[in-house]
Amino acid sequence: EEHSPNIDVNSLDKITLIKGAGALQYSGNAIGGVIIAETSNFQIKDSLYGKILIKGETNGRGLTTTSNLIRTKSNGLYSSVQFTFKRFGDFESPNYLLSNSGAKEQNASFRLGLNRFKYGLELYYSIFNNELGILRSSHVHSSLDQIRSINSEIPLKINDFSYKINPPKQDLNHQIFRLKGFNRFELLGKLSSFFFISLMLFDNFLPIIFSKFALLVTKSFWAAINFAFAPESDDSDCAESARLIS
C-alpha cells in the first residue's frame, strides 16, 4: 500500500541519494540513507516562462501531462505553479488484461518566495491525489479461491478493458506545507531553517500528520525536532501506518 510520503517527481529538479555516515547530517533516524528531493533555483531577473509535457503509453492506453508557469523578478521575488494529470486504464500482460489495474493521478504545487544573496524566504504547498486499482483477481474470499488462483495460469477474473477503477482500490491524498528561509552572517556563515507539515489520508483512515522543524548553520551543526501524530483509532492498519511514519 502507498503508506509512504508521496511527491510529484515532475515538480522536482534534482534527486540525490545519500548513504553512509553522510546521512547522519539529516537527523539521527536516517540510518539507512536519505533521499533528497530538490526543487529548482530561480534566476534573479525579470522573466516569465513555462512548459507543457505530454506523454502517452500503449500499455494501459494512458496519458500523462504536466505543465508549469514561473514568474521571476529582478528584485528577487518569484512564484511558480505546477500541475500534473495522469490517467491509465487496465494494464496488460502479453496474454491477458489485468482487470481493475488502472490509475488516476492529479497533482499541483505552488511556490512563492524571495531570493537575495544575504537572505531568502520561500513558501511551498503541494497536493498529491492518487487512485490506484488493485487487481480484481487478487481479492479472494476463501482458501478454495486461493488454491484456484495459484493453480490457474491466468487470472480468474478477466473483464473487458476499462478506465473505471472499482473496489478493491486505494485512494491517497498527500498535502505538504513548507516554509524555509536563510540568512548570511558575516562571521557565522549561512543560517538555514525550515518547517513543514505533511498530511496524509489513506482510503477511509483518519489523517496522519507529520511535521519537522530544523535548523542548519553552515555544514557543521544540525538540530532538528521531529514528532508524529495520528488520531486514536481502532483500526490496526491505521495504527501500523502511524508507527511506520514515526
Side-chain angles (χ1 to χ4, degrees):
E1 295 183 356
E2 296 289 342
H3 283 176
S4 59
N6 291 267
I7 56 176
D8 182 4
V9 295
N10 295 294
S11 65
L12 303 176
D13 181 65
K14 181 180 179 181
I15 298 178
T16 305
L17 173 62
I18 299 179
K19 300 182 69 176
L24 297 178
Q25 180 179 232
Y26 301 90
S27 78
N29 58 359
I31 299 176
V34 173
I35 298 176
I36 302 176
E38 299 177 274
T39 51
S40 59
N41 294 321
F42 300 136
Q43 297 181 353
I44 304 177
K45 65 178 183 178
D46 292 322
S47 179
L48 176 65
Y49 58 97
K51 66 179 179 180
I52 298 177
L53 300 176
I54 300 175
K55 181 180 70 172
E57 297 183 33
T58 56
N59 194 357
R61 307 176 196 179
L63 178 71
T64 301
T65 177
T66 181
S67 61
N68 66 2
L69 183 65
I70 300 170
R71 178 75 168 99
T72 62
K73 293 187 176 183
S74 57
N75 61 3
L77 287 171
Y78 63 87
S79 61
S80 71
V81 61
Q82 183 265 337
F83 300 97
T84 296
F85 177 78
K86 182 187 296 185
R87 190 71 168 100
F88 283 85
D90 294 332
F91 290 93
E92 303 177 46
S93 73
N95 300 318
Y96 49 79
L97 277 171
L98 302 172
S99 297
N100 200 52
S101 60
K104 183 179 180 181
E105 186 176 309
Q106 301 173 89
N107 313 315
S109 63
F110 173 77
R111 295 171 66 187
L112 176 65
L114 173 66
N115 183 24
R116 294 183 177 176
F117 178 77
K118 292 195 64 176
Y119 58 88
L121 184 68
E122 180 183 277
L123 173 67
Y124 173 83
Y125 173 78
S126 73
I127 181 169
F128 182 97
N129 288 287
N130 197 5
E131 185 179 9
L132 297 172
I134 298 175
L135 183 65
R136 182 64 184 87
S137 294
S138 67
H139 189 64
V140 296
H141 299 278
S142 66
S143 58
L144 292 178
D145 290 338
Q146 187 174 11
I147 293 174
R148 289 175 57 207
S149 298
I150 294 174
N151 293 330
S152 177
E153 294 183 356
I154 63 174
L156 298 180
K157 296 284 186 178
I158 301 179
N159 301 322
D160 294 333
F161 177 87
S162 174
Y163 286 97
K164 189 174 182 180
I165 301 176
N166 298 306
K169 64 178 182 177
Q170 184 176 55
D171 292 312
L172 170 68
N173 178 280
H174 185 198
Q175 301 181 50
I176 295 177
F177 171 83
R178 184 188 68 202
L179 180 65
K180 69 176 184 179
F182 72 89
N183 193 85
R184 298 180 189 273
F185 295 92
E186 185 174 349
L187 299 178
L188 182 61
K190 183 179 179 181
L191 172 68
S192 301
S193 64
F194 72 87
F195 173 78
F196 77 82
I197 297 177
S198 176
L199 172 64
M200 289 175 280
L201 300 172
F202 307 109
D203 300 322
N204 297 319
F205 292 158
L206 293 172
I208 296 175
I209 303 172
F210 174 72
S211 67
K212 172 184 283 190
F213 170 78
L215 183 68
L216 177 63
V217 181
T218 61
K219 293 185 178 180
S220 60
F221 173 76
W222 176 268
I225 300 174
N226 298 282
F227 62 91
F229 168 75
E232 293 185 1
S233 171
D234 293 333
D235 196 311
S236 60
D237 289 337
C238 183
E240 176 66 9
S241 300
R243 184 187 68 79
L244 292 174
I245 292 296
S246 63

